[in-house]
Amino acid sequence: MTKPFVAILMGSDSDLETMQTTVETLDKFHIAREVRVLSAHRTPDATHAYVKDADARGCAVFVAAAGMAAHLAGTVAALTHKPVIGVPMASGPLQGQDALLSTVQMPGGIPVACVAIGKAGAMNAAYLAAQILALGDQELAQWLADERRANASEILAEDKARREKLGSVEAGSTGHGTKHGK
Ligand code: RP5
């Protein structure tokens, strides 16, 4: 059986700067991936052919990134039953507001899991794909859980250091809450 992989499609090579985060995050978890520049509008036939081929070769999750009138994720979703994650790109004069609505507002029955505009969305697309793959991969599931725990410990350590640095002020000692400042 071939290893399941994630197919990353982007509408333009100019999207790669943002989508590099998706690639790097998948690589960090040793998840097999393919990256293609394919557009719903500019290369419709090649997009159709690639999605059908990737689906048949064992693609488990599609990630589709596009900006402006972003129809790539919806187009991919129309061609496969595999999960499709859409990433709105912050390109064009509306900086992704248009892409967000174009990606998220799918008609019932053809879902696209739309993440946030830009870099946070690009990273979360990889995490969401990893979580989907982890449903059938115990080692990956453990890796994701360990990373969450490590992140939480880091933040709690920062919180502790911050509290130690700033100290605490007893309620009432600042004069707040007293009538007319008396
Ligand atoms: C979209 O238009 C692309 O996904 C990109 O975000 C945006 C601009 O594309 P380029 O003009 O830079 O190729 O289709």
Side-chain angles (χ1 to χ4, degrees):
M1 213 175 80
T2 53
K3 210 178 166 207
F5 66 94
V6 176
I8 302 171
L9 291 79
M10 54 194 97
S12 168
D13 202 49
S14 63
D15 297 326
L16 183 60
E17 194 197 335
T18 304
M19 292 307 291
Q20 194 65 42
T21 310
T22 314
V23 177
E24 285 165 10
T25 307
L26 291 175
D27 288 354
K28 179 174 76 172
F29 291 115
H30 300 172
I31 294 169
R33 45 79 182 164
E34 294 181 0
V35 182
R36 297 291 302 268
V37 177
L38 289 166
S39 163
H41 306 129
R42 291 162 168 164
T43 63
D45 293 341
T47 300
H48 187 293
Y50 174 70
V51 173
K52 287 291 178 193
D53 179 58
D55 198 339
R57 285 186 295 108
C59 174
V61 181
F62 288 88
V63 174
M68 300 177 77
H71 297 129
L72 186 57
T75 297
V76 174
L79 294 167
T80 180
H81 299 165
K82 305 283 174 55
V84 177
I85 302 168
V87 191
M89 295 289 98
S91 53
L94 302 186
Q95 284 299 291
Q97 303 284 338
D98 43 3
L100 172 65
L101 295 178
S102 304
T103 303
V104 78
Q105 287 294 81
M106 288 296 292
I110 315 289
V112 165
C114 180
V115 291
I117 299 170
K119 286 225 160 130
M123 179 178 285
N124 280 342
Y127 274 94
L128 189 50
Q131 289 177 200
I132 291 167
L133 288 170
L135 291 171
D137 184 334
Q138 202 43 53
E139 196 184 345
L140 180 57
Q142 191 58 54
W143 200 339
L144 287 165
D146 290 347
E147 203 204 46
R148 281 269 182 116
R149 242 190 313 276
N151 285 343
S153 304
E154 210 174 293
I155 289 168
L156 291 175
E158 282 167 5
D159 172 55
K160 185 166 179 280
R162 184 57 62 202
R163 278 187 287 126
E164 280 167 8
K165 202 164 177 191
L166 294 178
S168 59
V169 177
E170 295 296 317
S173 63
T174 59
H176 291 315
T178 54
K179 261 189 185 172
H180 310 300
K182 286 178 196 160

